[in-house]
Amino acid sequence: MDADIVVIGASPAGLMAARNAALKGTNVILIDRKEAIGNPTHPANTFFKGMFDKTGETVDQSYVIKNLKGAHIVAPSGGEVAVESPAHFLDRRKFDEYYAQQVLKAGVDIRTGVESLNVIRNEGIFSISTNEGMLKSKIVIISDGINSRIAGLLGMKPIKYPRDIAWSMEAEVEAPGLGEPDMFEYYVGNHAPGWKSTYSPCGGDRATLGVYVRRHGTDVSSFFDTWVERFKKIKGLEELSFIKKSVGGDPIAAIPGDIVGEGVMVTGGSAAQSGIGYGMHAGQMCGDVAADAIAKNDVSARFLSEYRKRWNQEYRNEYYMGRIALETLRKMTDKEIDAMMQVFEGEDLSFIQGTPLNKAIHAAMFMLRKKPSSLLAYRAALRRK
C-alpha cells in the first residue's frame, strides 16, 4: 500500500481534503497533472469573505491583490443595487501555494506533473495507474475538475445537472484607472443568459471581465465579445488592452450527484461544489470523514456517506434555492428583471447578513413584503419552460 488515501487533483478542495485527512493521522498522497501547484487552467480568483468564513480559515493578505467592499448588481436598464459584503481579489498562484505549504506541513506527499490514467478497485484496494507508475490506496478522493474523467471511469455522475454548468470566458484587461473601484459589478440580463457578466477591479489599471452563461454550450465567446463592447460603452472607453484570456466552467447550482461510492469520494468543482470557500469547506468535510474511515477500517459507501450527510446539513437548502433563483433568472425577460430590481433600488440592504446566496434568499423575502406585485414576473418566469 502506497498510501491510505490518494487525492487526485490539487484544487482548493483537494488541498483541504489532503490536509485534513493527514492532520488526523492518515498517510496521504496528493497528485496533480500540472507541473506546479497554483497554475489552474481557469482559476477562480475572487471570493466573498462570508463564503470563505465557512472554512474557518483566516484570509491572509499575502495572497490578496485587492480588498473590495462588495458588489453592485446591475439590471439591464442600468439600475443597480449595492450589496455590501467584504470580498477579495486573489493572486491564485500565491493562494494555492499558501495552502500547498500547509498540506506539506501536515505530512502529505505532493506529486506534481503526475497524470492519473485509470483507477481500478479490486478486493477493497484501489490501483491508480499514472504516467509515472502505479499507486495503491484504500480510499481515492477525486477533485480533478468539473469534467471529472476519473469519476466517469468509476461509473459515477458527481454533478446532477451537468447541462446547467455556467460556461465562461474571462479576460484580464487594462485601461487607465480601470482597477481602482472598490466594488465588483455583476450585470444580469439576456446578454448573459442564466447567470451574469462581470467586472472585477484588481487595482491600478487592471481588471477582469467575464461572462458566465448557462445552457448555451461550452463556447461562449460570442457572448463575451458582445459584453466587452457593451462594457466599453458603459465606461466610455475607446480601447481595452487584453493581457490574457481563460475559459472554463462554473458548476454553480448544478447540484452534487454521486459523490460517494465504495472507497471513493468526490469533492470541489468535480462535485458541483462551486466557489473557492464552499469548495474548500467541502474538501475539509471530505478529508475528515476519509480519515475517520481509515481509523475505523471501514471504507464502505455507507460509512463514507457521512460526508454527504454533513454537506447536506450545511448546504443542500442553499444550493437548491440558488438553483431555483438561477433557473428563474434564465427564463425572465430583461423587462421582468428590471421590474424586479426596481424594488431594491435605493434600499439599505445592509441588514441582510450571511453569504451572497443567503443574501439573495432574504432579499427575495424582503421583496415579497415590500412589493408583492413585483413577484408576478418572477412567478411567470418560473412557470415558463
Side-chain angles (χ1 to χ4, degrees):
M1 199 70 64
D2 295 290
D4 296 318
I5 301 167
V6 169
V7 180
I8 301 174
S11 68
L15 289 168
M16 290 297 93
R19 185 197 70 177
N20 277 35
L23 287 174
K24 297 186 79 169
T26 58
N27 181 8
V28 182
I29 295 175
L30 169 64
I31 63 174
D32 192 273
R33 63 187 180 87
K34 295 292 185 182
E35 292 296 331
I37 301 293
N39 188 29
T41 303
H42 178 68
N45 50 23
T46 60
F47 62 67
F48 287 90
K49 185 177 181 296
M51 299 173 76
F52 192 72
D53 284 347
K54 292 280 191 177
T55 67
E57 305 288 327
T58 300
V59 176
D60 192 291
Q61 291 297 315
S62 66
Y63 53 68
V64 174
I65 294 176
K66 184 177 178 66
N67 296 305
L68 295 108
K69 295 181 178 179
H72 290 290
I73 313 299
V74 186
S77 64
E80 62 181 46
V81 175
V83 180
E84 293 190 5
S85 180
H88 309 280
F89 196 108
L90 310 177
D91 182 322
R92 262 305 293 273
R93 180 184 61 80
K94 290 183 178 179
F95 178 84
D96 287 5
E97 288 177 349
Y98 177 88
Y99 280 100
Q101 287 301 311
Q102 291 193 11
V103 171
L104 286 170
K105 289 178 182 178
V108 176
D109 179 0
I110 297 180
R111 304 182 187 183
T112 55
V114 178
E115 184 174 1
S116 50
L117 304 176
N118 199 5
V119 178
I120 299 172
R121 191 170 191 258
N122 184 34
E123 297 183 355
I125 302 299
F126 281 100
S127 297
I128 304 105
S129 64
T130 76
N131 59 325
E132 294 193 355
M134 188 74 72
L135 294 172
K136 293 185 181 295
S137 68
K138 297 176 183 178
I139 292 178
V140 168
I141 295 176
I142 301 170
S143 187
D144 60 348
I146 56 174
N147 290 319
S148 177
R149 190 179 65 85
I150 298 301
L153 289 173
L154 293 171
M156 303 175 73
K157 296 180 179 179
I159 297 181
K160 190 170 185 179
Y161 301 109
R163 67 187 297 233
D164 284 333
I165 292 170
W167 291 98
S168 65
M169 175 172 281
E170 189 174 77
E172 185 176 349
V173 296
E174 191 172 58
L178 196 60
E180 293 178 0
D182 58 7
M183 299 278 278
F184 295 117
E185 292 180 9
Y186 295 158
Y187 294 75
V188 294
N190 290 321
H191 65 283
W195 195 202
K196 63 183 178 179
S197 298
T198 63
Y199 160 46
S200 303
C202 53
D205 296 336
R206 291 199 175 186
T208 60
L209 300 180
V211 291
Y212 297 79
V213 178
R214 297 169 66 242
R215 296 202 185 184
H216 282 266
T218 59
D219 181 1
V220 296
S221 56
S222 61
F223 292 99
F224 178 78
D225 292 341
T226 300
W227 165 233
V228 169
E229 293 305 312
R230 179 177 177 178
F231 178 80
K232 287 162 65 175
K233 290 180 181 178
I234 292 171
K235 301 300 181 182
L237 299 171
E238 292 187 4
E239 295 294 334
L240 277 175
S241 298
F242 284 79
I243 310 302
K244 61 180 178 180
K245 289 183 181 180
S246 59
V247 296
D250 180 357
I252 183 167
I255 309 297
D258 305 328
I259 62 173
V260 172
E262 295 293 322
V264 61
M265 311 164 82
V266 188
T267 192
S270 303
Q273 296 158 339
S274 61
I276 292 176
Y278 284 5
M280 290 174 69
H281 192 203
Q284 291 169 344
M285 298 178 197
C286 181
D288 287 341
V289 172
D292 292 342
I294 294 297
K296 297 289 186 180
N297 197 29
D298 183 355
V299 299
S300 66
R302 181 178 178 180
F303 190 98
L304 297 179
S305 65
E306 174 66 18
Y307 159 53
R308 179 67 188 238
K309 179 181 177 181
R310 294 182 189 182
W311 186 90
N312 282 346
Q313 290 174 339
E314 190 72 41
Y315 292 113
R316 185 180 188 277
N317 290 342
E318 186 172 337
Y319 270 58
Y320 273 89
M321 286 295 292
R323 177 171 173 75
I324 291 171
L326 288 185
E327 274 298 277
T328 302
L329 182 66
R330 183 177 64 84
K331 298 170 184 176
M332 294 178 81
T333 65
D334 282 353
K335 186 176 180 180
E336 290 170 337
I337 294 172
D338 284 332
M340 181 178 66
M341 292 282 288
Q342 285 173 4
V343 178
F344 300 102
E345 290 182 21
E347 296 289 345
D348 180 9
L349 301 181
S350 61
F351 67 92
I352 301 176
Q353 301 298 317
T355 68
L357 193 50
N358 277 330
K359 288 176 184 287
I361 293 168
H362 288 291
M365 296 171 65
F366 170 82
M367 179 173 66
L368 178 60
R369 293 193 301 269
K370 184 76 175 178
K371 191 176 180 182
S373 61
S374 66
L375 287 182
L376 293 176
Y378 178 94
R379 290 167 178 162
L382 190 59
R383 287 193 296 268
R384 285 198 297 269
K385 293 183 178 180

